[in-house]
Amino acid sequence: MIVLKAPQEKLLGALQAVSGIVERRHTLPILANVLLRKTGGSVEFTTSDLEIQVRTSGELGGDDANFSTTVGARKLIDILRSLPNDQVVSLAADKNKLTLTGGKSRFTLQTLPADDFPLVNEAVDFGPAFSVPQKTLRGLINQVHFAMAVHDIRYYLNGILFVAEGKTLTLVATDGHRLALAQATLENDIPKQEVILPRKTVLELQRLLKDDKEGGDEPIEMRFAGNQAKFAFSGMEFVTKLVEGKFPDYNRVIPKHHRNHVTLGRAPLLASLQRAAILTSEKFKGVRVNIEPGILRIASSNAEQEEAKEELEVDYGGDAIEIGFNVTYLMDALANMSQEMVRLELQDTNSSVLITVPEQAGFKYVVMPMRI
């Protein structure tokens, strides 16, 4: 039976869209597979890791009969990538095997029964749907994702807080040492929502959502249940478990009355930090930042008694302050911005720094100091 017959590019695109969540090693071997469900000429592709499920479909020809099976997702993608873009490929099913043919190439792959594929149990009581442009959500994620915790015992930090209320959409991420907040104003009112999206979901949305160049005005439709979220965009359906727990009160973390501030070029500051980072201690990644009227100095050293010193001329007339930071935390924020200028707000040696962008009031980034 011919399951599908389509250009390599079209089949590969559908598989790549759903394969981001597939784990190469899993306690359940079938989770390394993609579920193929054929209904006439339409084929639906579904992947799952038990907490996230991604689905897309396409008109990919083949026989008219209905059919379903599962096959190794990564192997299928690797084979398709090795074939020419313009080649027509076909998938044929026979017993417990799938045969992929393209030109004079032929690959026979083992399958597992579709009935054994563990689909996510979707909630029955999803709330009202609301939409935002894909580029808006992608832009917010890009501005905060780097501040998420990784494998933190405080599991509610391993993701992003998603807050929707009125015409404001706010995303917040923190790992306890730094906090990033980004806001966007929407055209329409949206129902109040406050949920924590898991880290893996955030990174997958970041990969799949379109930006300005790709048609980012297309909407992403969102719906939330008690412990699940459902997203629909670009012909895809994305269901994810939410993180349960109480996210920290981010408003208390953001400094409100720092009396010293300086605005300077983002690119020169990032370049200076990157150079100073070369000679930081491998373990602590600390740099000393010294600011006084007219000048900002950055210095680093390591256990081998090597040193780096950088100077930047700045328009600053506030207090002289020397403060230590994990240089990676500063570089992460600056590298994920595109604006020309950034503003640093400081209080003293022991207080966190607030980094903002003059032309974007909705972005705030807080970094705690470190002793060096």
Side-chain angles (χ1 to χ4, degrees):
M1 174 190 173
I2 304 297
V3 181
L4 58 86
K5 190 171 185 178
Q8 173 267 8
E9 200 171 24
K10 192 171 182 181
L11 176 55
L12 181 60
L15 285 165
Q16 285 177 324
V18 300
S19 66
I21 64 167
V22 175
E23 305 282 359
R24 286 191 183 272
R25 291 194 181 120
H26 207 292
T27 49
L28 286 175
I30 198 167
L31 289 177
N33 286 12
V34 57
L35 171 63
L36 275 62
R37 274 190 177 149
K38 176 178 173 58
T39 309
S42 176
V43 181
E44 186 179 82
F45 302 89
T46 306
T47 56
S48 169
D49 70 356
L50 299 180
E51 296 191 345
I52 304 171
Q53 181 174 290
V54 187
R55 178 179 288 142
T56 190
S57 61
E59 295 294 323
L60 296 170
D63 296 341
D64 289 335
N66 296 346
F67 175 76
S68 59
T69 190
T70 78
V71 65
R74 300 287 182 192
K75 287 178 186 173
L76 195 51
I77 285 173
D78 287 347
I79 291 168
L80 287 165
R81 278 183 179 147
S82 72
L83 296 171
N85 288 0
D86 57 353
Q87 192 164 82
V88 172
V89 298
S90 64
L91 270 183
D94 182 25
K95 297 180 181 176
N96 60 345
K97 299 275 177 69
L98 269 185
T99 301
L100 186 148
T101 306
K104 294 186 178 180
S105 302
R106 183 183 173 93
F107 305 86
T108 303
L109 299 168
Q110 189 74 286
T111 62
L112 291 171
D115 291 344
D116 295 346
F117 193 83
L119 295 168
V120 170
N121 288 324
E122 293 186 31
V124 293
D125 56 346
F126 278 101
F130 63 96
S131 299
V132 301
Q134 289 187 43
K135 66 180 180 184
T136 300
L137 182 57
R138 189 176 194 261
L140 293 178
I141 290 174
N142 286 346
Q143 291 176 79
V144 303
H145 72 97
F146 51 85
M148 290 187 290
V150 184
H151 303 309
D152 198 296
I153 193 167
R154 298 163 294 180
Y155 54 90
Y156 47 83
L157 299 184
N158 300 318
I160 281 181
L161 179 68
F162 180 106
V163 184
E165 187 171 11
K167 285 189 167 65
T168 304
L169 180 58
T170 305
L171 268 60
V172 188
T174 180
D175 61 7
H177 304 287
R178 52 177 169 172
L179 179 143
L181 176 149
Q183 285 182 328
T185 302
L186 308 173
E187 290 184 7
N188 302 310
D189 278 7
I190 45 182
K192 183 167 184 186
Q193 308 283 349
E194 188 165 326
V195 299
I196 304 173
L197 300 175
R199 177 184 177 83
K200 189 172 178 181
T201 296
V202 170
L203 297 178
E204 195 60 15
L205 285 173
Q206 188 181 27
R207 183 179 79 88
L208 293 170
L209 290 171
K210 295 179 179 177
D211 60 17
D212 268 335
K213 297 173 187 172
E214 303 165 320
D217 288 327
E218 285 182 34
I220 172 170
E221 183 184 276
M222 298 178 259
R223 300 178 71 194
F224 296 95
N227 65 343
Q228 275 187 349
K230 183 186 281 190
F231 305 99
F233 58 98
S234 303
M236 300 184 63
E237 183 187 88
F238 191 108
V239 179
T240 177
K241 206 172 166 185
L242 297 172
V243 179
E244 295 180 26
K246 180 68 177 167
F247 200 84
D249 183 355
Y250 56 90
N251 284 311
R252 290 180 58 189
V253 176
I254 298 170
K256 304 289 192 300
H257 306 293
H258 280 0
R259 64 178 178 270
N260 302 294
H261 52 84
V262 59
T263 300
L264 70 165
R266 178 190 67 86
L269 176 58
L270 176 58
S272 293
L273 289 167
Q274 287 170 332
R275 289 191 292 266
I278 296 167
L279 295 186
T280 56
S281 156
E282 194 65 38
K283 189 174 181 183
F284 297 110
K285 290 289 182 187
V287 294
R288 294 184 304 281
V289 176
N290 191 307
I291 187 166
E292 55 189 61
I295 197 157
L296 183 147
R297 296 186 179 91
I298 300 164
S300 64
S301 59
N302 58 29
E304 287 81 40
Q305 297 186 328
E306 298 168 324
E307 289 184 327
K309 292 182 178 177
E310 293 278 336
E311 285 190 4
L312 291 167
E313 291 184 9
V314 292
D315 182 9
Y316 176 73
D319 302 336
I321 299 171
E322 183 170 329
I323 186 168
F325 293 109
N326 181 318
V327 69
T328 304
Y329 295 164
L330 297 177
M331 292 191 303
D332 280 350
L334 296 171
N336 279 280
M337 297 177 188
S338 57
Q339 293 83 358
E340 285 190 19
M341 308 298 287
V342 294
R343 176 182 165 104
L344 310 183
E345 297 185 20
L346 301 137
Q347 182 72 10
D348 52 45
T349 301
N350 301 310
S351 300
S352 58
V353 62
L354 173 63
I355 300 176
T356 57
V357 180
E359 64 256 45
Q360 191 175 345
F363 175 77
K364 294 180 173 66
Y365 184 62
V366 182
V367 185
M368 300 295 291
M370 71 181 287
R371 291 173 186 257
I372 299 177

